[in-house]
Amino acid sequence: MTSESSKINAATGPLGFAQHDHSTCVSDGLAAAEARCAAEGLRFTPVRRKVLELLLQNHRALGAYTILDRLREDGFGSQPPVAYRALDFLVANGLAHKIERLNAFIACVHSSHSHTPAFMICRLCDAVAEAQSSPARGALGDAARATGFRIERTVVEAEGVCPACIDKADP
């Protein structure tokens, strides 16, 4: 699949469930992160870059200890703070997200702009797709406005079965 068709799929639906060339995700994601960090004066250290690269390699959330093991294999530090500091940086700067249900992390597929993500998590293969969410609209937004509550952060995670696993799911 070409880079252009991968971008088309990302624009029309959640990229995590679309068949595409993951190497494009990695190269495009790293280039975007480097450009963003340079523009905002952020230090994109080799460890931060490597952690983002690991997260971009497929659309599965990775736990901090899995990331730490892979960092160790590549010659980076072997203490948990190495992975956690890099993950904290990536999340704080919108380059990655924490998937609460899995206590794991995934690269952001919309890192070029601020947004509220919603995640669809396959209960069979743990694939994760990121979609745009609008918590200020709909029932949650209505309830918040009715009570005078201001929403500052939401985490929307839906568990189900991805298209690749639908035939394996119980009816």
Side-chain angles (χ1 to χ4, degrees):
M1 185 172 275
T2 67
S3 175
E4 188 61 31
S5 62
S6 176
K7 289 177 185 171
I8 291 168
N9 285 341
T12 59
L15 185 60
F17 299 147
Q19 293 296 320
H20 64 284
D21 179 3
H22 285 296
S23 64
T24 301
C25 292
V26 174
S27 60
D28 290 353
L30 289 174
E34 288 169 355
R36 183 166 175 197
C37 287
E40 296 179 17
L42 302 171
R43 290 188 53 229
F44 197 48
T45 65
V47 170
R48 292 170 178 172
R49 185 182 198 289
K50 185 62 180 180
V51 170
L52 182 59
E53 180 182 349
L54 293 170
L55 293 175
L56 287 164
Q57 287 176 347
N58 59 45
H59 298 284
R60 305 263 182 299
L62 298 176
Y65 282 95
T66 299
I67 292 168
L68 185 62
D69 289 343
R70 292 186 186 172
L71 287 174
R72 185 181 306 115
E73 291 169 6
D74 290 335
F76 292 94
S78 61
Q79 296 299 314
V82 171
Y84 280 110
R85 286 182 189 132
L87 289 165
D88 287 346
F89 171 85
L90 296 173
V91 170
N93 290 288
L95 300 171
H97 300 291
K98 183 173 183 183
I99 304 298
E100 301 291 338
R101 186 186 85 62
L102 301 174
N103 193 27
F105 299 84
I106 190 161
C108 178
V109 298
H110 302 291
S111 64
S112 62
H113 61 279
S114 180
H115 63 285
T116 302
F119 301 102
M120 294 168 280
I121 306 162
C122 180
R123 66 177 170 78
L124 298 178
C125 72
D126 286 337
V128 178
E130 178 182 340
Q132 301 277 356
S133 175
S134 297
R137 296 189 180 122
L140 183 59
D142 293 344
R145 278 187 296 283
T147 62
F149 183 80
R150 184 180 72 196
I151 297 172
E152 294 179 346
R153 180 178 179 269
T154 61
V155 177
V156 178
E157 297 178 357
E159 184 176 23
V161 180
C162 74
C165 293
I166 202 76
D167 292 336
K168 298 178 231 171
D170 295 330

